[in-house]
């Protein structure tokens, strides 16, 4: 029986894309509940419950997507991390589609998908909720539209390019640097002819229109994100990398075994006869690399740029070895997977904490620090997933010892958004009121009507509180986890009474944007 066109079977390339994407999804779903809530996740949940067109330290799209998750699935770890798991799988999907659009066949698609699957940074960001998990999709989406245009696609595709950039700006402002790098790449190639046509300019207007609500929000609030970035730049909070260190850490974040793939892809884009038509992508990577080195960006800031290089590298390796030494393709794939298995415990929570510490000592390898204050035994990503429920329990015991009248007046002030987010997430089960804080967007949510007559304060020392309140009682250290960040293990719970001025008057001095 002839089934006609409707019976067409998926190609080998399509099977590879679907198969490796499902493997990525399964890896995340099986491992993303290993520890607890990450500090930033607690804050993002708070932001999702206060929807707005902007926040001090993030654009609104990720908070809106998280609000959808919360409404549909609740706040369990599985629910919270479902979208990141799907996004992590889609990174693999888009990488494979990219390789196929570049002219790659089965091995090109397979190698590029395996590289995306085995990169520790993508394993990590797909395992918890953050802005970063959507970045590779949006950056690669821009690059994918560009190669569709280069492959004689309709110039109207620039409208889609603008739409993706606009959504990217609503997710994380750093896509502006990649968009600028792509435009620079286009200007450095014959594709600059598109600037003489209207579509690329209309695409730019679409990007601006989508980003406009957040721009207006920033203007109305005094450009808080810019203030935050300036404060961070002068705080020595982040580890400053030399150019050599930055590049070396790219190798580690992407899995050292992928180095021949993405470097080969960059070379293929820049110098090969077949790849030169896509040279704008190679220039874009180099420009983005230079941008983040000059600005002393964190090591993972460039991570969203690598799917396009994995795709190009898969094509390059397929072309080089398709006639001779074809056996090197499966060997390279096996090495990629083997090294990923070795590195995986550093990226996703698959070992108990004590075993992870021993494992890092055994292999003499640990994720590079991105912040100067990180001194925990575990990598910061993992250490920040411990101690939150214990902390809230400690606060609850102090709160419950107050009289009913004092409980009605009492606010809970936290020094950072992790503590405040934990109070807001776990506190209701103990009858705790919403948290107060001057950190990041909590400052903009204000004192919420509290007078300062009685405030439970979390702090390492009470020097400031003794100046601000007439009475300060130390109720001891909070309960925490030995695996939590060290400064969280030094936090005391203080009952502070009779603020010497109103909380409303004091609030402007409590702003803590860093």
């Amino acid at each position: 029986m002839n089934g006609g066109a409707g019976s067409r079977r998926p190609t080998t390339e399509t099977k590879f894309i679907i198969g490796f994407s499902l493997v990525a999804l399964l890896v995340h779903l099986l491992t993303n509940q290993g520890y607890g809530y990450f500090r930033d996740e607690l804050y993002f949940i708070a932001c999702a419950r206060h929807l707005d067109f902007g926040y001090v330290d993030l654009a609104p799209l990720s908070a809106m997507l998280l609000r959808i998750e919360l409404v549909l699935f609740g706040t369990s770890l599985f629910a919270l991390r479902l979208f990141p798991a799907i996004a992590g799988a889609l990174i693999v999907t888009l990488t494979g589609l990219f390789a196929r659009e570049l002219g790659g066949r089965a091995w090109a698609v397979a190698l590029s998908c395996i590289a995306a699957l085995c990169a520790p940074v993508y394993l990590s960001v797909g395992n918890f909720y953050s802005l970063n998990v959507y970045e590779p999709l949006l950056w690669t989406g821009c690059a994918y539209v560009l190669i569709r245009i280069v492959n004689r696609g309709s110039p109207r595709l620039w409208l889609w390019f603008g739409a993706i950039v606009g959504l990217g700006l609503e997710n994380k402002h750093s896509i502006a640097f990649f968009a600028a790098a792509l435009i620079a790449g286009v200007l450095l190639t014959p594709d600059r002819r598109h600037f003489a046509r209207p579509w690329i300019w209309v695409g730019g207007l679409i990007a601006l229109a989508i980003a406009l609500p957040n721009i207006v929000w920033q203007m109305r609030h005094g450009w808080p994100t810019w203030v935050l970035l300036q404060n961070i730049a002068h705080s020595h909070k982040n580890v400053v990398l030399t150019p050599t260190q930055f590049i070396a850490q790219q190798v580690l974040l992407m899995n050292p075994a992928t180095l021949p793939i993405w470097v080969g892809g960059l070379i293929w884009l820049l110098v090969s006869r077949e790849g030169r038509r896509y040279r704008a992508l190679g220039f874009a990577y180099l420009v983005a690399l230079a941008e983040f080195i000059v600005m002393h960006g964190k090591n993972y800031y460039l991570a969203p740029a690598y799917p396009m290089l994995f795709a190009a590298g898969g094509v390059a390796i397929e072309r080089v070895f398709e006639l001779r030494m074809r056996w090197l393709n499966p060997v390279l794939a096996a090495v990629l997977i083997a090294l990923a298995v070795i590195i995986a415990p550093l990226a996703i929570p698959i070992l108990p904490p004590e075993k992870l510490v021993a494992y890092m000592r055994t292999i003499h390898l640990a994720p590079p620090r991105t912040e100067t204050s990180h001194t925990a035994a575990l990598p910061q990503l993992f250490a920040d997933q411990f101690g939150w429920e214990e902390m809230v329990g400690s606060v609850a015991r102090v709160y419950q010892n107050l009289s009913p009248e004092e409980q009605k007046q009492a606010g809970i002030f936290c020094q950072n958004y992790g503590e405040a987010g934990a109070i807001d997430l776990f506190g209701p089960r103990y009858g705790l009121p919403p948290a107060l804080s001057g950190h990041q967007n909590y400052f903009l949510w204000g004192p919420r009507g509290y007078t300062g007559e009685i405030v439970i304060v979390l702090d390492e020392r009470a020097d400031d509180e003794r100046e601000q309140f007439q009475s300060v009682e130390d109720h001891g250290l909070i309960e925490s986890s030995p695996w939590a960040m060290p400064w969280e293990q030094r936090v005391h719970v203080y009952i502070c009474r009779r603020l010497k001025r109103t909380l409303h008057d004091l609030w402007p001095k409590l702003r803590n944007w860093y």
Side-chain angles (χ1 to χ4, degrees):
M1 182 181 293
N2 185 357
S7 65
R8 290 174 57 186
R9 295 181 178 180
T11 63
T12 303
E13 292 82 4
T14 300
K15 291 178 182 178
F16 276 139
I17 292 170
I18 294 173
F20 288 118
S21 299
L22 290 176
V23 170
L25 179 62
L26 186 62
V27 167
H28 291 307
L29 294 179
L30 291 177
T31 63
N32 62 10
Q33 301 175 70
Y35 296 157
Y37 291 85
F38 181 54
R39 177 190 301 271
D40 291 4
E41 289 178 317
L42 299 169
Y43 174 58
F44 293 151
I45 292 173
C47 291
R49 289 172 169 171
H50 295 80
L51 287 182
D52 206 340
F53 288 111
Y55 303 89
V56 171
D57 49 349
L58 62 147
L61 179 61
S62 60
M64 293 178 183
L65 292 174
L66 180 52
R67 180 63 173 268
I68 294 172
E69 276 197 301
L70 298 180
V71 170
L72 293 178
F73 309 116
T75 59
S76 70
L77 277 177
F78 178 83
L80 176 66
R81 294 170 176 175
L82 179 60
F83 281 10
I86 294 171
L90 289 177
I91 293 171
V92 177
T93 302
L94 193 52
T95 304
L97 293 173
F98 206 116
R100 189 165 66 179
E101 184 65 28
L102 291 174
R105 296 186 292 277
W107 268 113
V109 170
L111 286 175
S112 62
C113 286
I114 292 171
L117 171 63
C118 293
V121 68
Y122 301 148
L123 285 174
S124 178
V125 299
N127 220 247
F128 67 101
Y129 199 94
S130 75
L131 294 67
N132 299 323
V133 71
Y134 302 118
E135 271 200 301
L137 296 176
L138 293 162
W139 286 34
T140 307
C142 290
Y144 183 77
V145 171
L146 178 58
I147 63 169
R148 290 291 300 272
I149 294 170
V150 171
N151 285 340
R152 293 179 171 79
S154 169
R156 289 182 175 83
L157 288 172
W158 284 112
L159 307 184
W160 284 104
F161 181 93
I164 296 171
V165 171
L167 288 173
L169 289 170
E170 290 290 273
N171 175 66
K172 192 173 180 181
H173 300 133
S174 57
I175 197 173
F177 298 104
F178 185 64
L182 281 176
I183 293 301
V186 171
L187 288 170
L188 291 170
T189 66
D191 294 313
R192 69 179 72 92
R193 66 183 181 275
H194 287 282
F195 283 91
R197 300 171 184 171
W199 298 110
I200 191 171
W201 300 103
V202 177
L205 290 175
I206 290 174
L208 179 61
I210 294 174
L212 189 59
N214 183 240
I215 296 172
V216 172
W217 185 92
Q218 292 282 340
M219 292 174 61
R220 290 182 57 194
H221 291 81
W223 303 101
T225 301
W226 174 253
V227 174
L228 170 69
L229 294 174
Q230 291 297 106
N231 290 344
I232 291 175
H234 293 95
S235 69
H236 306 292
K237 173 186 176 182
N238 294 337
V239 174
V240 177
L241 302 173
T242 66
T244 301
Q245 290 172 328
F246 187 88
I247 294 171
Q249 291 188 15
Q250 302 304 296
V251 177
L252 181 60
L253 291 177
M254 291 301 137
N255 183 335
T258 69
L259 181 64
I261 297 179
W262 61 266
V263 171
L266 181 61
I267 294 172
W268 183 79
L269 291 170
L270 294 175
V271 303
S272 75
R273 179 180 301 176
E274 184 182 4
R276 276 184 294 179
R277 65 185 303 186
Y278 312 113
R279 189 180 292 177
L281 298 182
F283 288 141
Y285 172 80
L286 295 176
V287 171
L289 174 65
E291 288 172 341
F292 291 123
I293 288 176
V294 169
M295 294 186 302
H296 301 296
K298 290 185 178 181
N299 55 18
Y300 61 84
Y301 284 3
L302 190 59
Y306 286 90
M308 66 181 188
L309 294 189
F310 288 157
V315 175
I317 290 172
E318 183 180 63
R319 296 293 189 269
V320 170
F321 297 127
E322 65 181 344
L323 297 178
R324 298 180 180 180
M325 298 188 294
R326 296 181 63 180
W327 55 270
L328 280 178
N329 288 320
V331 169
L332 179 55
V335 172
L336 284 171
I337 295 171
L339 192 53
V341 170
I342 294 172
I343 299 176
L346 310 185
I348 52 180
I350 56 180
L351 292 177
E354 62 278 3
K355 291 186 177 180
L356 175 59
V357 171
Y359 183 75
M360 290 191 296
R361 291 173 181 162
T362 299
I363 66 174
H364 302 288
L365 186 64
R369 292 188 307 154
T370 60
E371 296 185 2
T372 56
S373 61
H374 174 223
T375 58
L378 294 177
Q380 183 172 355
L381 171 62
F382 295 154
D384 266 333
Q385 297 182 41
F386 287 90
W388 301 116
E389 293 191 61
E390 296 92 332
M391 180 206 77
V392 176
S394 297
V395 174
R397 284 188 287 274
V398 174
Y399 178 82
Q400 289 160 1
N401 284 329
L402 298 174
S403 69
E405 187 60 33
E406 285 183 318
Q407 288 182 9
K408 292 178 183 178
Q409 301 179 66
I412 302 174
F413 188 87
C414 305
Q415 303 303 318
N416 61 67
Y417 64 47
E419 296 168 355
I423 294 291
D424 284 346
L425 180 61
F426 302 116
R429 70 181 65 165
Y430 299 100
L432 297 180
L436 305 174
S437 180
H439 193 207
Q440 310 305 52
N441 224 74
Y442 270 96
F443 173 78
L444 295 182
W445 297 331
R448 301 182 180 182
Y450 289 101
T451 63
E453 181 64 22
I454 180 167
V455 183
I456 296 174
V457 179
L458 303 183
D459 207 345
E460 291 186 36
R461 300 175 60 179
D463 297 350
D464 292 338
E465 289 78 11
R466 297 190 193 282
E467 292 181 3
Q468 297 163 349
F469 292 85
Q470 294 181 23
S471 170
V472 177
E473 298 175 7
D474 185 353
H475 285 254
L477 286 168
I478 64 167
E479 288 188 18
S480 187
S481 165
W483 303 111
M485 293 296 284
W487 62 77
E488 295 295 350
Q489 300 180 46
R490 298 193 294 265
V491 171
H492 288 242
V493 183
Y494 299 97
I495 295 182
C496 304
R497 292 181 171 88
R498 296 179 296 281
L499 187 64
K500 296 175 182 178
R501 54 196 298 194
T502 68
L503 187 57
H504 181 271
D505 291 339
L506 178 63
W507 196 259
K509 295 187 178 181
L510 298 179
R511 190 180 79 176
N512 185 11
W513 290 351
Y514 72 93

